Amino acid sequence: MDYSKYSAIIVGSGFFGSVIAERIASELKKPVLVIEKRNHIGGNSYSEIDPMTGIEFHTYGTHIFHTSNEKVWNYIHKFTEFNSYFHQVLTTYKGKVFQMPINLETINQFYNVNLKPYEVDDFLAKEKAKDKFDQPPRNFEEKAISLIGRPLYEAFIRGYTMKQWNKDPKELPEFILNRLPIRKNYNESYYFSKWQGIPKDGYGKIFEKMLSNPLITTLLNTNFFDIQEKIPSSIPLVYSGPIDQYFNYKFGRLEYRTLHFEAEVHPYEDYQGTSVMNYAESSVPYTRIHEPRHLHPEREYGKKTLTIKEFSSLDDGTNPYYPINDEKNSSLVKKYREEASKLNNVFISGRLGDYKYFDMHETIAAALALFEDKLIALVSV
Ligand SMILES: Cc1cc2nc3c(=O)[nH]c(=O)nc-3n(C[C@H](O)[C@H](O)[C@H](O)COP(=O)(O)OP(=O)(O)OC[C@H]3O[C@@H](n4cnc5c(N)ncnc54)[C@H](O)[C@@H]3O)c2cc1C
């Protein structure tokens, strides 16, 4: 393959890489090559159709698009319309269903009281006072108890946190918990963004449209590191893979949490009545059950439904999902970022490149900014 004919090489076809490729092809009218190691485009935002039920599901976990950024909202509308899906999260604890994040309904239902919003602070202050600590919180558990009191912590936070981190919250540092949002009203919207929804034709179609420009060539099933040596260093490279891998792990490996999923088909139209149900207790091995038919209330699906159980664990290096923001990984990524800043013509960014949890709208905003601030000048010449 003649790589020298491309004005830029993009590694990764998630939102970061796809936005950059689309901008270069549509705005600068230059040829661009996208290299993707998976057998599909779209990165972790990809969606596909379950063959048994015809229900569209998000391959790497439920993805809700939400943003208050008008520029991002206008940009994404070039490729899709959104439905009116509104995200709400529920949690099952001891066989009962509660609102999450904790709101007034959760508190009233849990304690079997009927508090008014202005009574919540005093009520929780009494709950917190039952566990007086002599010193500032030393770990995640103490911090959580100091914020919401022991009963709510033990019901809704402890087991879920254990499953997410595979560690007792007593062994987790207190600084990973900045705040525990408690709503003193009945607001049950998960997001406070100006806009939210699910792409009407699914995420997969967005990526197909984004990369459909004939100036874009996409190579699937291709690992960048297998062809890196053949790519001339004079061509600008946008790399959205793991930053530690780019530098051949020379300072050590960054750690991630990962997820795995187990799908089931049920002979009912509706299994759980909502798209995402959390399971708070540590005795239940999974963290959530997704039921993707609820993401598209506008669609007519058949009489069967699909559910997907989500399990969380530490990544063994094969499927990085969530960065771990502890001291060890934060100082490691700082070293890699310093190395990245010394590179000429190479831009390492996106979820894996920045080693940061980005929502989709933040990823798109970051890619648009890189295109405008650096790539227009570099690729236009
Ligand atoms: C479980 C989960 C749920 C989420 N839910 C939401 C949500 O509800 N709402 C929301 O806004 N955001 C959500 N997100 C965040 C969203 O997934 C990210 O914002 C988005 O995927 C980031 O895009 P990206 O392009 O940076 O990375 P990715 O989507 O991860 O894309 C990177 C791509 O690079 C490829 N790649 C890596 N290394 C190489 C290599 N060496 N050679 C070739 N290709 C390579 C990968 O295969 C991948 O396709 C969620 C994330 C997770 C993990």
Side-chain angles (χ1 to χ4, degrees), residues 10-18 35-38 40-46 58 60-66 87 191 203 207 219 222-226 239-242 245 259 261 288 290 310 320-322 349-353 357-364:
I10 316 294
V11 179
S13 65
F15 265 116
F16 198 87
S18 295
I35 299 164
E36 171 55 60
K37 70 177 180 186
R38 288 176 174 159
H40 63 77
I41 53 175
N44 275 19
S45 309
Y46 186 64
H58 302 164
Y60 303 92
T62 300
H63 276 63
I64 319 299
F65 197 91
H66 68 104
H87 196 45
Y191 297 117
Y203 287 98
F207 293 100
L219 286 183
T222 308
N223 191 325
F224 164 68
F225 297 105
D226 293 340
Y239 171 89
S240 66
Q245 190 176 14
L259 302 176
F261 300 100
R288 316 195 260 185
H290 304 262
E310 178 180 308
Y321 269 77
Y322 295 106
S349 198
R351 176 180 77 88
L352 300 164
Y357 178 83
F358 283 138
D359 266 335
M360 292 176 283
H361 65 283
E362 295 166 314
T363 306
I364 294 170

Side-chain angles (χ1 to χ4, degrees), residues 16-160:
F16 198 87
S18 295
V19 169
I20 300 281
E22 186 279 328
R23 291 288 76 196
I24 293 175
S26 311
E27 286 293 304
L28 308 181
K29 315 267 184 278
K30 299 268 187 178
V32 53
L33 176 67
V34 177
I35 299 164
E36 171 55 60
K37 70 177 180 186
R38 288 176 174 159
N39 63 1
H40 63 77
I41 53 175
N44 275 19
S45 309
Y46 186 64
S47 64
E48 57 190 310
I49 307 286
D50 170 55
M52 299 260 284
T53 58
I55 293 172
E56 180 148 17
F57 69 100
H58 302 164
T59 317
Y60 303 92
T62 300
H63 276 63
I64 319 299
F65 197 91
H66 68 104
T67 188
S68 298
N69 182 329
E70 195 162 2
K71 189 170 174 181
V72 168
W73 189 238
N74 289 338
Y75 175 77
I76 198 73
H77 266 86
K78 292 182 195 192
F79 312 99
T80 186
E81 298 257 300
F82 286 85
N83 68 9
S84 59
Y85 175 81
F86 168 89
H87 196 45
Q88 172 199 20
V89 173
L90 298 162
T91 195
T92 296
Y93 173 68
K94 291 200 170 159
K96 286 199 173 139
V97 174
F98 296 85
Q99 292 282 342
M100 283 303 272
I102 297 168
N103 69 10
L104 189 51
E105 188 179 327
T106 322
I107 297 170
N108 281 341
Q109 190 188 350
F110 180 73
Y111 283 104
N112 199 18
V113 291
N114 191 18
L115 299 174
K116 296 276 184 280
Y118 55 84
E119 295 169 325
V120 173
D121 284 342
D122 282 352
F123 182 86
L124 288 183
K126 284 185 196 131
E127 287 300 303
K128 291 187 237 175
K130 291 178 188 163
D131 276 278
K132 272 256 170 279
F133 296 112
D134 300 334
Q135 64 279 314
R138 290 164 302 181
N139 56 48
F140 184 104
E141 175 162 300
E142 291 184 3
K143 178 85 169 270
I145 292 171
S146 73
L147 291 170
I148 61 170
R150 186 178 288 275
L152 285 172
Y153 160 72
E154 288 192 340
F156 299 117
I157 310 297
R158 184 168 192 275
Y160 198 80

Side-chain angles (χ1 to χ4, degrees), residues 23 69 76 101 104 117 130 173 178-179 209 217 221 228 251 263 276 307 316 323 344 368 378:
R23 291 288 76 196
N69 182 329
I76 198 73
L104 189 51
K130 291 178 188 163
N178 283 330
R179 56 188 202 101
K209 279 195 188 162
T217 306
N221 303 307
Q228 184 178 16
F251 301 127
V276 182
T307 61
D316 63 1
N344 231 339
L368 290 174
L378 201 64

